[in-house]
Amino acid sequence: MNHIHLKECESTQEYLINLQKDPSAKYLISTDSQVKGRGRRENLWDSDKNSLCFSFSLKPNKILTLSASEITILLCQFFSLYKNSNHQTKLKWPNDLINFENKKCGGVLINKIDDMLIVGIGLNLNPSKYPTYQIEAGSILKTHQEFQHKSLALEIVEYIHNNRISASEIYKKWKDFCFHLNTKVSILEEDKVTEGIFLNIGEFGQAIIQTQEKEVQIFNGSLRVHH
Ligand code: BTN
C-alpha cells in the first residue's frame, strides 16, 4: 500500500483522484486537516481535529452498486470490534454511519475511475461542533480519545481490504446494522420526495420503500427518518 499522510490538504478525495494514474496501484491518502472536504450530492464536508478524513483506492464489489453498502458494513464492524468503541455504530441508507444518539457520525463518498473506486471516508470520532454542513452531526465515540490520524486510517483501510464481503453476506449484514428498517422515511431524489416504510435494500443496494400505493425502488437519494 502506498500511504501518503498530509499535514493539510483541500480534499483527500481530489488529491487521490489526481494521483491515481496507475489503476492497479493501492493508495491511501490521509490528512490531519482537510480544509475543503467534499460530501455526497455536491455538499461540503466539514471537519476539525476530532475528525478523520482519508481516501483510498479499492476494487469495486462484484456488484458495483453494492460497494457503498459493503464499505459501510465494514466500518460498523471495525468500530464494534475496535477496543475504544463503547457502542454499536449503525447504518443509514445509502452511505451514512449513525451513532448511539441516532445522529450522523460518518459518511462515504465514492468516485469510479476506470476499474477502480476512489473511496473517501469522513468520520467524526469525538464530540465536537460541526457548524453547518453535517446537520445533526454526532460522533462515534462518546468521550474524547487521542487518535493518531495516520495509523487509524491505515488500520481501517487494511481492515476493509482484508475483510471483503460477498453480495449474499451484504444483504444479511446490512439489515442487521440498518437503524431504520420497517420505519417511516422520506427519500429526496433531485426534486422528488418519496414517503413510505423502508423495507430493505434490493439486489443492487437500492432502497425498497412501501408507499401507500405500491412498492417503489429508489437508486439514489438522501434519506430522512421520521420519528
Ligand atoms: C457524505 O456526504 O456523507 C460523504 C462525506 C465524505 C467525506 C470524505 S472526508 C475524506 C474524503 N475527502 C473529501 O473531500 N471527502 C471525503
Side-chain angles (χ1 to χ4, degrees):
M1 170 112 51
N2 302 299
H3 185 181
I4 301 173
H5 183 76
L6 306 165
K7 272 256 151 264
E8 183 177 290
C9 69
E10 291 207 335
S11 155
T12 56
Q13 196 73 358
E14 290 296 329
Y15 190 98
L16 184 49
I17 287 171
N18 293 327
L19 185 74
Q20 183 85 41
K21 303 282 181 255
D22 170 4
S24 62
K26 269 192 196 168
Y27 280 107
L28 162 62
I29 311 298
S30 54
T31 186
D32 286 333
S33 168
Q34 180 173 257
V35 294
K36 217 169 155 190
R38 291 171 34 192
R40 288 180 62 237
R41 303 171 70 84
E42 313 285 312
N43 291 324
L44 295 171
W45 183 262
D46 200 12
S47 55
D48 72 1
K49 65 175 174 37
N50 289 315
S51 29
L52 185 64
C53 298
F54 56 96
S55 298
F56 60 101
S57 35
L58 186 75
K59 279 204 182 121
N61 187 279
K62 273 201 184 125
I63 300 178
L64 174 66
T65 53
L66 276 185
S67 303
S69 313
E70 182 189 5
I71 294 160
T72 47
I73 290 169
L74 287 168
L75 286 170
C76 286
Q77 285 189 181
F78 177 86
F79 281 105
S80 61
L81 299 177
Y82 193 64
K83 57 183 182 315
N84 287 322
S85 177
N86 34 18
H87 58 86
Q88 203 183 46
T89 306
K90 297 271 187 183
L91 294 182
K92 177 159 91 71
W93 187 88
N95 290 24
D96 290 345
L97 293 195
I98 300 298
N99 79 352
F100 56 98
E101 302 168 304
N102 289 347
K103 288 183 175 170
K104 177 163 174 171
C105 57
V108 176
L109 174 70
I110 299 181
N111 295 97
K112 185 166 176 292
I113 298 196
D114 301 324
D115 289 335
M116 276 309 242
L117 300 182
I118 305 294
V119 181
I121 297 187
L123 300 170
N124 306 336
L125 291 173
N126 293 315
S128 201
K129 285 217 181 315
Y130 297 93
T132 44
Y133 320 130
Q134 285 124 273
I135 301 164
E136 295 226 24
S139 59
I140 293 183
L141 300 171
K142 287 182 187 166
T143 50
H144 284 263
Q145 315 267 350
E146 278 303 309
F147 282 105
Q148 289 297 327
H149 285 60
K150 187 177 171 184
S151 56
L152 187 59
L154 182 61
E155 218 182 311
I156 294 173
V157 172
E158 281 180 340
Y159 181 82
I160 291 175
H161 277 296
N162 296 335
N163 291 279
R164 301 297 305 260
I165 321 176
S166 66
S168 59
E169 276 180 283
I170 291 174
Y171 302 128
K172 188 190 163 299
K173 291 192 176 197
W174 201 88
K175 272 180 118 166
D176 292 343
F177 281 117
C178 174
F179 96 107
H180 53 73
L181 219 52
N182 301 320
T183 301
K184 192 168 178 196
V185 298
S186 37
I187 299 185
L188 171 69
E189 307 163 84
E190 304 297 324
D191 50 4
K192 181 173 154 218
V193 179
T194 307
E195 222 176 80
I197 304 295
F198 192 101
L199 297 180
N200 201 353
I201 54 167
E203 192 187 352
F204 301 107
Q206 73 273 33
I208 303 179
I209 306 292
Q210 181 66 56
T211 68
Q212 288 205 329
E213 297 82 38
K214 57 181 181 198
E215 209 173 278
V216 179
Q217 311 217 358
I218 300 175
F219 287 81
N220 202 355
S222 147
L223 177 144
R224 189 170 70 81
V225 179
H226 296 233
H227 293 293

